[in-house]
Amino acid sequence: MEFVAGEEKDGIGKPYGVYVDNRKRLFIADTGRGIVHEYDTNGNEYFIIGNNEKRELLTPIALTGDDAGNLYITDSAAGAVFRYNIREKILIEFIAGKLVQPTGIAFNSKKNLLYITDTASHQIVVFDLQGFERFRIGGRGGSSGYFNYPTDLCVDSGGDLYVTDALNARIQVFSADGKFLRMFGTAGDSAGYFAKPKGVAVDSEGHVYVSDAIQDSVQIFDKTGALMLVFGESGNGAGQFWMPSGLFIDSSDTIYVSDSYNQRIQMFQYLKSTEGKSELQNLKSPITSIKQTNMDMGHLR
């Protein structure tokens, strides 16, 4: 379609990473347009981060934020990480020359550390908030603590690091200082297996969510790696996906899924049992989808 009609100039092109800060501002890394979308749902405002005419960003992939109001953006084509001051709307290059192909990124608020997946070097590289490298995790391999083209990652409420070890078809878990803790998953094309795992996120009760771009679904596991629930199927309707990628879960257990080839973000809500038990079957249908950048922000609910 882009070859025939030209590149789409409005709306979301190809969303990947998604992040929501504590003020409920929604940020979407758009690899198709080379920008990041910022939706301020409180102020009913929309901003573009990275001017695609000046090509400040080439291929933004993943997003995270710190406690000081900064957004961090990995750019795989530039081999760099950018920092964006949300209040002042200033974008600067933060880390350059130290990464080959940065993809996933997550912030550990307990340690004030940024964890970045360097997919091409098969490592997780850890930086402090001054941009100094602190240590690296892994290298290429199939044994525990090693990776084969890792992609996304996240940090849970306790500070543990979860990594999508894509071509090893598994999730690996590490302590905040990089010590290997456990792993789960194996290759396959049915529930409980990984065909093309992408995003990973953890909710407030420790359930692990993994999006799979081939299976067009999100799988939910307990901490031991036992499958609990699968939601989603191929399609373009509510609750259906076409190559989902990035995942994010906010403090209220709202689940954001980057539905890449449907050019939208779908939102789901994990509902806790009133009896205090985990009931993942209470997952709701999507409450909204975001497709147009010029939408009326009052329609978000």
Side-chain angles (χ1 to χ4, degrees):
M1 180 61 69
E2 287 183 3
F3 178 78
V4 174
E7 183 179 355
E8 182 183 8
K9 298 300 182 183
D10 296 316
I12 297 173
K14 185 182 177 184
Y16 198 104
V18 58
Y19 171 73
V20 179
D21 68 8
N22 56 12
R23 287 188 52 192
K24 297 297 182 180
R25 289 175 292 201
L26 171 64
F27 301 88
I28 303 167
D30 190 338
T31 62
R33 293 185 58 194
I35 60 174
V36 174
H37 304 271
E38 177 187 346
Y39 295 94
D40 188 341
T41 59
N42 294 314
N44 290 340
E45 294 180 293
Y46 166 76
F47 304 96
I48 288 178
I49 303 170
N51 188 323
N52 57 349
E53 294 180 358
K54 296 180 180 179
R55 304 306 293 177
E56 291 176 306
L57 299 174
L58 299 177
T59 309
I61 297 291
L63 310 165
T64 195
D66 62 20
D67 294 331
N70 295 306
L71 180 75
Y72 297 86
I73 307 163
T74 59
D75 190 324
S76 63
V81 177
F82 290 81
R83 183 167 65 189
Y84 176 71
N85 185 303
I86 299 172
R87 182 175 61 85
E88 298 179 0
K89 309 300 179 190
I90 297 175
L91 179 69
I92 63 170
E93 194 172 64
F94 178 62
I95 297 170
K98 300 180 181 179
L99 301 165
V100 181
Q101 187 186 7
T103 52
I105 187 168
F107 175 63
N108 186 324
S109 60
K110 297 179 184 295
K111 299 286 187 176
N112 279 330
L113 294 175
L114 287 168
Y115 299 83
I116 300 169
T117 310
D118 194 353
T119 298
S121 69
H122 312 280
Q123 292 181 318
I124 308 302
V125 189
V126 186
F127 294 87
D128 61 26
L129 295 184
Q130 286 71 49
F132 294 108
E133 183 178 326
R134 298 290 293 274
F135 58 91
R136 295 186 175 222
I137 305 171
R140 190 167 194 179
S143 58
S144 58
Y146 289 84
F147 306 106
N148 191 7
Y149 291 98
T151 53
D152 201 16
L153 44 73
C154 72
V155 174
D156 69 12
S157 60
D160 288 343
L161 177 70
Y162 292 72
V163 182
T164 303
D165 189 5
L167 293 194
N168 280 328
R170 65 190 182 187
I171 299 296
Q172 294 201 63
V173 187
F174 300 84
S175 67
D177 59 3
K179 178 182 177 182
F180 173 79
L181 298 177
R182 60 189 180 276
M183 61 184 178
F184 65 88
T186 188
D189 58 4
S190 59
Y193 296 86
F194 297 134
K196 193 174 184 180
K198 290 279 192 176
V200 61
V202 182
D203 69 20
S204 64
E205 295 189 341
H207 309 120
V208 185
Y209 298 65
V210 183
S211 59
D212 195 302
I214 296 297
Q215 298 190 48
D216 288 325
S217 65
V218 176
Q219 302 188 66
I220 308 175
F221 301 86
D222 67 13
K223 287 186 176 181
T224 68
L227 180 67
M228 302 183 73
L229 182 71
V230 180
F231 68 95
E233 60 183 2
S234 299
N236 58 13
Q240 297 178 329
F241 303 114
W242 186 7
M243 291 192 178
S245 52
L247 278 175
F248 184 79
I249 301 177
D250 68 16
S251 58
S252 61
D253 281 331
T254 300
I255 305 152
Y256 300 79
V257 183
S258 187
D259 191 4
S260 291
Y261 279 81
N262 280 324
Q263 299 177 287
R264 64 187 182 183
I265 301 297
Q266 293 200 62
M267 297 161 60
F268 303 80
Q269 183 65 51
Y270 169 60
L271 301 179
K272 298 178 182 179
S273 169
T274 55
E275 298 176 357
K277 299 178 181 179
S278 298
E279 293 188 353
L280 289 172
Q281 65 268 29
N282 283 336
L283 199 71
K284 294 171 63 177
S285 295
I287 57 177
T288 192
S289 297
I290 299 172
K291 296 186 69 174
Q292 300 297 325
T293 58
N294 59 352
M295 69 182 295
D296 179 357
M297 296 303 296
H299 292 165
L300 280 176
R301 59 187 184 275

